[in-house]
Amino acid sequence: QVQLVESGGGLVQPGGSLRLSCAASGSIFSINAMGWHRQAPGKQRESVAVISFGGSTNYADAVKGRFTISRDNVNNTVYLQMNNLKPEDTAVYICGGWGMRNTYWGQGTQVTVSS
């Protein structure tokens, strides 16, 4: 089993920045990639950014150039640096871990972009 714990969400004004963290524990060796999805009210969950343990990254078109995903393999933590936030970025951001057989999810952290 893998446990994922997010932190770093909150309320920010448009144009502001936030950094989300996702700390993984448990059977870390079973995970090939980690990343973030988001769920906004009335909308489908969507992938935001993913990073493999080889370092490859993938971003949703809506966040390219504004968000950066990174990882700290020593501390088993993945970060999502979010800059130039827009109201449409408002959502619950959920950390995910993907293995060969299983997918793991955190509880999510709320990000609200509003003036």
Side-chain angles (χ1 to χ4, degrees):
Q1 286 291 328
V2 174
Q3 294 77 44
L4 303 174
V5 179
E6 304 101 331
S7 61
L11 172 64
V12 64
Q13 292 186 343
S17 298
L18 281 175
R19 189 176 81 153
L20 306 182
S21 300
C22 175
S25 60
S27 302
I28 308 298
F29 60 87
S30 67
I31 301 177
N32 298 321
M34 291 180 65
W36 298 87
H37 282 203
R38 66 185 181 186
Q39 177 92 58
K43 295 186 178 180
Q44 286 190 328
R45 180 182 290 196
E46 62 177 348
S47 176
V48 176
V50 179
I51 185 166
S52 74
F53 280 93
S56 300
T57 59
N58 189 274
Y59 295 93
D61 288 342
V63 306
K64 283 181 181 176
R66 299 188 297 122
F67 291 11
T68 302
I69 190 169
S70 62
R71 74 192 193 286
D72 178 348
N73 287 340
V74 174
N75 294 307
N76 298 318
T77 301
V78 172
Y79 303 98
L80 185 68
Q81 178 66 43
M82 306 185 293
N83 297 329
N84 190 21
L85 282 160
K86 303 176 181 181
E88 51 263 42
D89 294 318
T90 295
V92 175
Y93 284 70
I94 306 157
C95 179
W98 292 272
M100 291 294 292
R101 298 182 178 181
N102 298 302
T103 298
Y104 304 94
W105 298 104
Q107 292 297 310
T109 184
Q110 177 69 45
V111 171
T112 302
V113 185
S114 175
S115 55

